[in-house]
Amino acid sequence: MASKRVTIKELAAEAGVSIATVSYVLNNRTDQKIGEEKRKKILQLANLYHYIKNPAAASLASGHHGLVSLIFDMDTAALPLANKSIIADRLTRAFLAKGYRVCLEPAGSLPDGSMVDAIVAIGLSAERFREVGNNVFIPLISVDSLVGGDWLFNVIYDDYDRYDGQTLVCLPVASSELMSYFREHFDVRVVTSLAEYQREPLGCYVRDPALLPYLREGDVGKDCFGETKIAKVVETTLSSINEEGASVHCKI
C-alpha cells in the first residue's frame, strides 16, 4: 500500500472507520465528536502512508529539516550514560554521512515532533514509547524496545534467540517488557558498576558497547550497536522520511 499514494478510501479501510471520519480528522473539524484514540490512529496512518496535506497535519510534514532526534530513557548512572554516548556518537556519524544532523531530546521530555524529520527512540518502555508516539505524527522508529506488534511504527531489535540459554550480561534496562523477555531466555546479570562486571564468569554474552572494552579472554561480546544495526536504523529512518516504504519489524 505504501508503494503508491494512498486514497482516502484506503486510509479509512486501514483505520477501520468511514471516509467521512477520516476527512473530519484530516481537515481538523471540531464540530464532529471523534474519540482521541481514533483521531490519533488516523493521523498516524496518514503519516505512515504520507497522506498529509491538510490543516491538521500540514505543519508536521511541510518539508524536510535535515534533522533527526534521538530519545533515550532517563538515566543518571555513569555506565548507562557512557553507553548512550557511544550509541549517540555512532548514529550521529552515520546520519551525517547521509546529510542529516542529529540532536538529543532532553531526558524525560515529551517531544512534539516540530523541526525534526524523524525520531529514533532507543530502549524505551512500551508505556513511554506509546506516550511519545501519541504526541508526534512524524516517522518514529523503535529501537531495542518491545512495543508489541503494532505496525504503525518501525521496530528494530536484536535477534536474541540465537543466544537463548546463555548468560546475558547487560546494563540496567528501562523497558520492563525487554527485561522480562531477557529473564525468560537467559541467565541475566545486570551490571551497575565495573567491579560487578569483573566478577562475572567467563563465556558470557555481553550486550552493551560500554562494557566491551572490559572484556576478558573467554567472554563473548556482541556489539549490539555495531555497523549492521547502525546501518539498519539509518536506512529505516531515511526510508520513512523519504516516503520509500511502509513500517518494518525486523531483527538484526
Side-chain angles (χ1 to χ4, degrees):
M1 181 170 167
S3 61
K4 62 182 181 65
R5 184 71 63 179
V6 300
T7 66
I8 192 171
K9 180 178 179 181
E10 291 170 321
L11 196 61
E14 289 281 355
V17 299
S18 68
I19 294 175
T21 298
V22 174
S23 178
Y24 294 148
V25 170
L26 296 183
N27 288 286
N28 203 24
R29 289 277 294 273
T30 59
D31 58 333
Q32 300 293 322
K33 292 184 178 180
I34 299 172
E36 186 67 8
E37 183 177 348
K38 186 178 296 183
R39 185 187 73 84
K40 287 179 176 177
K41 183 175 183 179
I42 291 169
L43 285 174
Q44 287 167 345
L45 281 167
N47 168 72
L48 179 65
Y49 294 117
H50 303 283
Y51 188 100
I52 304 181
K53 288 298 176 186
N54 56 81
S59 64
L60 300 175
S62 58
H64 294 173
H65 304 283
L67 185 63
V68 172
S69 70
L70 309 181
I71 183 168
F72 293 90
D73 62 287
M74 185 179 293
D75 211 311
T76 58
L79 272 174
L81 284 176
N83 203 59
K84 292 176 177 61
S85 178
I86 292 170
I87 294 169
D89 179 70
R90 291 177 180 180
L91 283 170
T92 296
R93 293 173 185 273
F95 275 112
L96 278 174
K98 298 294 185 179
Y100 277 79
R101 293 170 296 124
V102 169
C103 65
L104 292 179
E105 297 285 348
S109 68
L110 185 59
D112 61 10
S114 62
M115 303 307 293
V116 299
D117 297 318
I119 296 175
V120 178
I122 303 170
L124 303 190
S125 67
E127 180 180 7
R128 174 69 168 138
F129 183 83
R130 293 292 177 181
E131 180 185 29
V132 174
N134 284 331
N135 202 58
V136 300
F137 304 104
I138 61 173
L140 176 61
I141 291 81
S142 166
V143 181
D144 288 346
S145 298
L146 296 183
V147 296
D150 195 334
W151 45 266
L152 292 176
F153 304 104
N154 295 286
V155 179
I156 299 170
Y157 58 99
D158 288 279
D159 183 5
Y160 293 108
D161 294 343
R162 71 181 73 175
Y163 304 100
D164 203 326
Q166 285 187 286
T167 297
L168 171 70
V169 178
C170 66
L171 294 171
V173 176
S175 169
S176 59
E177 299 82 10
L178 188 57
M179 181 54 73
S180 294
Y181 174 84
F182 284 165
R183 295 196 184 283
E184 288 177 6
H185 295 270
F186 305 101
D187 174 22
V188 181
R189 311 292 178 88
V190 179
V191 177
T192 58
S193 73
L194 288 179
E196 291 179 4
Y197 172 66
Q198 291 167 356
R199 290 196 297 270
E200 297 299 333
L202 296 178
C204 297
Y205 164 44
V206 182
R207 173 177 180 259
D208 297 289
L211 295 175
L212 295 179
Y214 305 97
L215 287 177
R216 298 151 302 175
E217 185 177 354
D219 283 337
V220 179
K222 177 185 184 298
D223 189 340
C224 73
F225 258 96
E227 291 183 6
T228 299
K229 188 168 183 179
I230 291 290
K232 189 62 181 180
V233 171
V234 172
E235 173 195 343
T236 301
T237 304
L238 298 187
S239 292
S240 299
I241 293 171
N242 296 318
E243 310 181 15
E244 294 173 355
S247 60
V248 299
H249 186 96
C250 67
K251 297 180 181 181
I252 300 299

